[in-house]
Amino acid sequence: MTDALLQVRNLRKTYGALKVTNDVSLDVHEGEIHAIIGPNGAGKTTLISQLSGQLRPDSGTVIYTGQDITALDMAARVRMGLARSFQLTTLLPSFTVLENVAVAVQAREGSSFRFFRPASTERALNDQAMECLNDVGLSGTASRLAGALSHGEKRQLELAIALATRPRLLLLDEPLAGTGHEEAAQLVDLFGRLKSRVTMMLIEHDMNAVFALADRVSVLVYGEIAACGTPDAVRNDAKVRAAYLGEEEVA
Ligand SMILES: Nc1ncnc2c1ncn2[C@@H]1O[C@H](COP(=O)(O)OP(=O)(O)OP(=O)(O)O)[C@@H](O)[C@H]1O
């Protein structure tokens, strides 16, 4: 078997006496959707932050495409195709939907945002931004202000912004949070479609979505991986039932 796209080895992070990440090792294989589930406070967000480069682990290694990236910051990881989809706060509400994505395309290309650009550059940026909007089903809203989008559309826009960095591995922290039933179903559909192009690791509390989407699931309990396997294996794992899911939820 070839090496995993992401290999996390013996990652540890403590806050005082609290072991938030306690000797975590896991693999994310190219092409899979790998879900991280666990009770509130289990350390899921802290783990993702260490993978994205926002937070330094106390010890352990993160290997991505065979390279040790543990010491690299977030910008360097994004350049390597390891990106995290940010939450609503990073959207520019008074910019159009297209401009929000164009800023991300421009950042990827290494120049900072400017209001005045040559028309050809502007066109190229907008074309690429439009492609990302197409990918998430938002091309019809390109000229609307980002602040005027519905909650579900904002989550789609976040995803388009993340796609603008051309990720190979996308880290998603509760991408369905705050969405209604219909919006959640649309996003699940969208992740399913994007799967052939980008590997995804996602934290998600919506168990229906997790079991519908994930190829593999890692269960984090008190900072430790309690189980890792296919959704069915995890669903039937006695430790997981006891520690987290509850008999009735997984029945
Ligand atoms: N900067 C910090 N300083 C101290 N404690 C922290 C810090 N960040 C997180 N924690 C603690 O670490 C634990 C894990 O937090 P984290 O947000 O990673 O959990 P989570 O599994 O993502 O939770 P949730 O599902 O509620 O979002 C919590 O007890 C939290 O209070």
Side-chain angles (χ1 to χ4, degrees), residues 15 18 20 39-46 174 205:
Y15 288 118
L18 186 66
V20 189
N40 289 335
K44 302 178 295 295
T45 298
T46 306
E174 294 191 46
H205 284 288

Side-chain angles (χ1 to χ4, degrees), residues 10-29:
N10 309 105
L11 216 61
R12 291 176 192 271
K13 179 85 191 168
T14 56
Y15 288 118
L18 186 66
K19 293 177 177 169
V20 189
T21 307
N22 192 5
D23 201 25
V24 167
S25 296
L26 59 86
D27 285 347
V28 178
H29 297 286

Side-chain angles (χ1 to χ4, degrees), residues 67-89:
Q67 300 173 63
D68 186 342
I69 60 163
T70 319
L72 298 185
D73 64 15
M74 188 165 71
R77 293 182 199 205
V78 170
R79 281 195 295 275
M80 294 173 77
L82 173 53
R84 176 175 182 169
S85 178
F86 285 96
Q87 310 262 327
L88 304 170
T89 46

